[in-house]
Amino acid sequence: MGGRKTGTGVFNGDLGQIVKIDDVGKRIKVRFDDEKIVWYEYSGLEELEHSYATTIHKSQGSEFDAVIMPIHGVAPQLLIRNILYTGITRAKKLLVLIGTKETIEYMIRNGDVRKRNTGLEYKLKNS
């Protein structure tokens, strides 16, 4: 075993804070919630996404003390129970839903999960 680790160990949904900016070395230091420290070269900053707010999809795998979830002016295909469940379960202490009671009730009743056309099957068969 004893193999060498590669990569940063940072995964989609991990949250952190920039704790140092090194303009001379052209890099930034990020401390993630699990106390992991990772340096990012300026050329690799596209790997990070600033988020005062984020989408439900991008929040998967994360939890937050407080979640404010607007359910107003939403695309109809997103008014499904799975999206509501995912948003609600991101909140650890406080959840605020902004929308009408009717829209939330509609989402609870709407278990329609449409077939996703990702092209994954094609890619797996033809690689």
Side-chain angles (χ1 to χ4, degrees):
M1 305 295 201
R4 226 176 129 199
K5 286 186 179 182
T6 59
T8 62
V10 176
F11 301 97
N12 190 24
D14 285 352
L15 299 173
Q17 292 183 322
I18 295 172
V19 293
K20 184 171 184 167
I21 298 173
D22 176 6
D23 278 330
V24 174
K26 297 192 183 310
R27 61 190 188 147
I28 65 167
K29 182 179 182 180
V30 178
R31 184 184 64 242
F32 288 88
D33 287 351
D34 63 359
E35 301 302 319
K36 173 178 36 244
I37 302 290
V38 178
W39 284 94
Y40 286 87
E41 304 295 324
Y42 282 5
S43 62
L45 292 181
E46 73 278 350
E47 295 177 29
L48 299 176
E49 186 165 331
H50 192 264
S51 65
Y52 285 116
T54 190
T55 66
I56 290 173
H57 289 93
K58 290 181 182 178
S59 72
Q60 289 183 9
S62 299
E63 288 184 315
F64 308 93
D65 285 341
V67 170
I68 300 171
M69 187 173 159
I71 307 172
H72 176 71
V74 177
Q77 65 268 29
L78 296 177
L79 294 175
I80 58 174
R81 183 173 43 235
N82 289 0
I83 297 287
L84 181 64
Y85 173 82
T86 301
I88 288 172
T89 57
R90 301 307 94 199
K92 292 194 290 187
K93 296 179 181 177
L94 174 69
L95 171 69
V96 177
L97 296 176
I98 301 173
T100 66
K101 180 179 177 183
E102 293 77 22
T103 302
I104 294 167
E105 288 174 349
Y106 174 81
M107 291 179 79
I108 291 168
R109 289 190 309 274
N110 186 8
D112 181 24
V113 179
R114 297 170 192 226
K115 184 175 185 249
R116 295 174 65 181
N117 296 312
T118 64
L120 179 61
E121 181 180 6
Y122 175 83
K123 290 175 186 173
L124 290 172
K125 286 181 179 178
N126 296 294
S127 58

